[in-house]
Amino acid sequence: MRVRFEPFGVITQVEAGKTLLAAAIAAGVEIEAVCGGRGTCAKCKVIASGELKPLTEEEQKKLTADELQNGYRLACQAVVAGDVEVVVPEESRVSRVSILSEGTVRPFVLHPWVKRHPLQVPEATLEDQTPDLTNVRRAWEAAHHKLTPTLRALRQLPFALRDQQGNLTLIAADDQVIDVHAGDAPPRVLGVAVDIGSTTVVGYLMDLETGQQLAVSSLLNPQTRYGDDVVSRIDFATNDPTGLETLQSELIKALNTIIAETTRMAGVSAQNIYGMCLVGNTTMYHLFLGISPSALARAPYVPAVVDAMRVAAHELGLAIHPDAHVWVLPNIAGWVGADTVGVILSTGMYLQDDVALAIDIGTNGEMALGSRQRLITCSTAAGPAFEGAQLSCGMRAAGGAIDTVKIDGDVHWHAIGDSAPRGICGSGLVDLIAEMLRAGVIDSTGMMQDSETLNQNGQHKLAERIVQEGRQRVFELVRPSEGAAGRTVRVTQRDVRELQLAKGAIRAGIEILMKKLGIGPSDVKYVYLAGAFGNYIKPESALAIGLIPDFPQAQIVPVGNAAGSGAKMALLSVGARNEATEILRNVEYLELSGRPDFQEQFAEAMLF
Ligand code: FES
């Protein structure tokens, strides 16, 4: 179903049965939801028309007779049954202050590098036979500097020039004219920002003249069928004769799907997309451009290239305007990519006087610590535990994944989509381990207690969940009667060890960065948790398992897809795009592998 959010002009597609709040989240429209959608705070009021399920009891209680008459609904309660138009009133929008306090993206000036230039060119006569391009150059150069059209734009020029008596519109990306239209067309000048993650690819369709986000769409990275982690994809690209080509074309196809989807949602033409800006890890950068990433997998882990690159869309087979400029932001090193540059850019940590730590956790934990004085980055091989992979009941953060756990005598959990649980994802695992530690089900070495010990401690319900399987203990989080299709969700002693390895690597990375910078935890003022996992993990659980140190002076800020926000900034602002290159020049990279102090810290950090 199609849901349009005004005054933003954002359109999204959702399944019937979703709430308007869920649709807003999917579309990137920020609506206040103080009670988290329980229907108690009434902060999520919107004016909705179209096909919606009838008012719920909560809405009838919380909305006044006047509001009801004027079509007000609670976004978290109103359920989509068909196409809907939604107006988000001022008071229900997340204010700029709270956006800033959440650190989602710092304010920046809209100054895109793709622009529309209307021109009035004098008509040629028998007395003045100035060639078209010279004539256009004269009109153009009065206001701008050098005019360099692409061949395609030049071929359009004679027709466009004569169609409306010299009234024409040029579309320029930086200093290159890439499109020519008669009169005022095209209706919109568009761009796409993309975050290519190892697991998901997210694309944001942006209006480059207003800065408005028109639509957002995401896909599972189709390369996952060649391996979940980047190392197996590098192997495939290196060892299969068509591996590199296959991985590149899979990615391009995914991007073309996102482009088709977002332009369809917004009702615009992909031919009006003239700029694109991408971030991703260093391996994704190489694969996107079809450059072999082989050397990244072996010491000394050298990338072929780290610089920001500009390519024409037609060279990559992207289904947008063929001469659109496609920018890939720069990488920092082999294992710290343009996605980290995006995080640094969107949080603005490289401009702040206060010391900040940014962590983006996937199969690798990429982190940056510092301020405008000095900024150091590193990457640790966190392993797959945080992405739910390779655990006995691990899964990605999808419907049915347990994402939060509470233990108070017995176990309570929540599964994504409120469905029957099918497994546990990274944030659920962190929660579970934190709660198991607190309840004494595991000790500080990570050892799971036996049921006898738990019974002696009066933890009878928890004792019933401990099962001895061969030499290892297992904790039954979800019993067959509760799980999807009679499934159990269990955490084994080995799973706990996997998490210890992962959190040990990340914690050790943070400790080494602090040591290198000569600071302690109390010097850190902001901790930015980036990425889907970082956005959903409870800071208190991350602290409880020791994933991050206790930073007594720090504000912990989940920044969501900060890498994607960085790509949007670089698309909408030439200054931000230049700053990305500036970041590359000023940031230091610390290689952790082979450092003896890293091994020591790692061994220590494995303990809870
Ligand atoms: Fe609180 Fe809707 S989010 S009532």
Side-chain angles (χ1 to χ4, degrees):
M1 309 298 161
R2 193 176 138 111
V3 183
R4 175 191 279 272
F5 290 93
E6 295 294 357
F8 316 107
V10 173
I11 297 168
T12 189
Q13 298 278 338
V14 293
E15 286 167 23
K18 294 275 181 208
T19 63
L20 291 179
L21 186 59
I25 292 167
V29 171
E30 294 182 282
I31 295 179
E32 287 282 7
V34 173
C35 71
R38 287 195 298 276
T40 54
C41 72
K43 296 280 187 206
C44 62
K45 285 174 198 169
V46 293
I47 303 159
S49 57
E51 292 176 57
L52 287 159
K53 290 263 170 80
L55 289 161
T56 64
E57 218 171 286
E58 281 77 12
E59 288 178 289
Q60 284 170 357
K61 270 192 240 153
K62 295 285 174 193
L63 296 170
T64 64
D66 253 14
E67 286 171 337
L68 287 172
Q69 199 167 6
N70 289 317
Y72 273 85
R73 301 287 306 251
L74 293 182
C76 70
Q77 302 293 310
V79 172
V80 174
D83 293 351
V84 184
E85 293 274 326
V86 180
V87 177
V88 183
E90 190 75 46
E91 68 271 18
S92 302
R93 291 179 216 157
V94 174
S95 66
R96 188 138 288 282
V97 173
S98 66
I99 290 174
L100 284 178
S101 73
E102 287 175 20
T104 307
V105 65
R106 70 192 162 89
F108 64 98
V109 178
L110 179 67
H111 185 200
W113 38 271
V114 176
K115 279 193 188 141
R116 169 202 308 262
H117 297 276
L119 284 186
Q120 184 61 56
V121 181
E123 283 185 74
T125 59
L126 277 176
E127 292 71 38
D128 178 5
Q129 294 181 329
T130 308
D132 291 349
L133 182 59
T134 312
N135 228 348
V136 171
R137 269 201 174 119
R138 278 183 196 150
W140 167 277
E141 283 167 15
H144 312 282
H145 36 281
K146 236 172 130 215
L147 173 80
T148 51
T150 60
L151 179 59
R152 204 183 316 266
L154 200 50
R155 285 174 180 155
Q156 292 168 288
L157 185 62
F159 304 104
L161 195 59
R162 283 164 185 83
D163 195 70
Q164 296 197 24
Q165 293 80 45
N167 175 16
L168 81 169
T169 301
L170 307 185
I171 305 295
D174 292 314
D175 279 342
Q176 187 177 51
V177 173
I178 55 178
D179 204 4
V180 180
H181 288 265
D184 296 331
R188 273 182 141 155
V189 178
L190 305 169
V192 177
V194 179
D195 172 29
I196 309 173
S198 310
T199 311
T200 51
V201 184
V202 190
Y204 310 86
L205 177 67
M206 312 294 294
D207 184 316
L208 298 181
E209 292 175 306
T210 63
Q212 231 179 34
Q213 182 172 304
L214 302 178
V216 58
S217 174
S218 62
L219 285 177
L220 190 68
N221 187 331
Q223 295 177 341
T224 47
R225 61 181 88 111
Y226 304 95
D228 251 19
D229 59 281
V230 289
V231 174
S232 40
R233 287 183 226 168
I234 295 174
D235 273 355
F236 180 67
T238 308
N239 301 323
D240 187 290
T242 60
L244 179 57
E245 204 182 305
T246 306
L247 292 177
Q248 188 197 20
S249 76
E250 289 282 4
L251 198 48
I252 299 293
K253 263 190 255 162
L255 291 175
N256 284 340
T257 306
I258 285 174
I259 289 160
E261 180 67 7
T262 49
T263 48
R264 189 185 58 76
M265 286 188 226
V268 295
S269 164
Q271 287 304 302
N272 294 145
I273 297 175
Y274 298 105
M276 201 162 169
C277 209
L278 300 98
V279 296
N281 61 47
T282 313
T283 305
M284 291 303 123
Y285 171 110
H286 281 64
L287 295 177
F288 172 67
L289 294 174
I291 301 169
S292 170
S294 303
L296 285 174
R298 312 185 287 270
Y301 315 111
V302 178
V305 54
V306 291
D307 310 37
M309 289 285 286
R310 193 193 93 188
V311 190
H314 67 87
E315 292 181 72
L316 294 166
L318 289 164
I320 56 179
H321 189 281
D323 290 324
H325 284 196
V326 178
W327 278 90
V328 195
L329 292 195
N331 299 296
I332 293 170
W335 292 91
V336 180
D339 45 2
T340 303
V341 172
V343 173
I344 295 172
L345 188 64
S346 65
T347 56
M349 60 189 294
Y350 66 106
L351 299 170
Q352 294 169 0
D353 284 322
D354 289 329
V355 175
L357 168 71
I359 322 176
D360 198 346
I361 302 171
T363 38
N364 281 300
E366 293 176 7
M367 54 196 91
L369 178 72
S371 62
R372 68 195 192 90
Q373 273 79 33
R374 191 179 176 193
L375 190 63
I376 313 178
T377 61
C378 72
S379 171
T380 63
F386 287 125
E387 296 214 316
Q390 285 178 29
L391 299 173
S392 54
C393 288
M395 64 180 285
R396 287 200 187 101
I402 292 179
D403 59 350
T404 50
V405 179
K406 179 94 195 131
I407 296 181
D408 60 359
D410 202 359
V411 180
H412 310 277
W413 34 255
H414 171 265
I416 296 172
D418 291 323
S419 42
R422 296 190 293 127
I424 188 161
C425 64
S427 60
L429 184 70
V430 172
D431 243 18
L432 173 65
I433 302 296
E435 288 291 289
M436 285 170 85
L437 265 170
R438 205 177 46 79
V441 181
I442 50 177
D443 66 17
S444 64
T445 68
M447 163 97 95
M448 205 180 281
Q449 304 301 304
D450 58 18
S451 38
E452 204 178 315
T453 311
L454 290 174
N455 271 324
Q456 277 165 8
N457 295 340
Q459 303 271 45
H460 305 298
K461 288 200 168 152
L462 299 179
E464 285 168 20
R465 291 180 181 267
I466 298 284
V467 179
Q468 188 75 36
E469 264 187 10
R471 294 178 59 195
Q472 100 165 322
R473 288 182 192 131
V474 174
F475 184 76
E476 280 199 341
L477 179 60
V478 178
R479 297 190 170 115
S481 56
E482 305 159 318
R487 203 179 295 209
T488 56
V489 179
R490 306 138 22 107
V491 172
T492 65
Q493 181 66 67
R494 203 172 303 122
D495 293 337
V496 178
R497 297 286 180 229
E498 283 287 337
L499 182 93
Q500 282 180 283
L501 288 170
K503 79 106 186 173
I506 288 177
R507 175 66 181 265
I510 298 171
E511 296 290 344
I512 300 273
L513 282 182
M514 285 198 293
K515 202 165 101 183
K516 186 84 183 162
L517 214 54
I519 61 166
S522 55
D523 296 311
V524 177
K525 297 295 188 298
Y526 295 97
V527 177
Y528 298 119
L529 296 177
F533 172 69
N535 214 35
Y536 298 119
I537 185 177
K538 280 194 213 139
E540 58 270 30
S541 297
L543 280 169
I545 68 160
L547 173 64
I548 52 174
D550 187 6
F551 294 107
Q553 308 293 332
Q555 195 183 333
I556 296 182
V557 191
V559 287
N561 189 352
S565 302
K568 280 195 252 180
M569 281 179 71
L571 177 71
L572 294 172
S573 154
V574 69
R577 196 190 68 195
N578 294 342
E579 281 174 34
T581 304
E582 212 41 44
I583 288 169
L584 179 65
R585 268 193 222 116
N586 296 324
V587 78
E588 295 169 45
Y589 170 68
L590 190 66
E591 177 59 52
L592 294 179
S593 60
R595 282 182 72 108
D597 56 348
F598 178 74
Q599 292 309 325
E600 279 162 33
Q601 288 285 355
F602 178 53
E604 201 177 307
M606 291 255 301
L607 297 175
F608 287 120

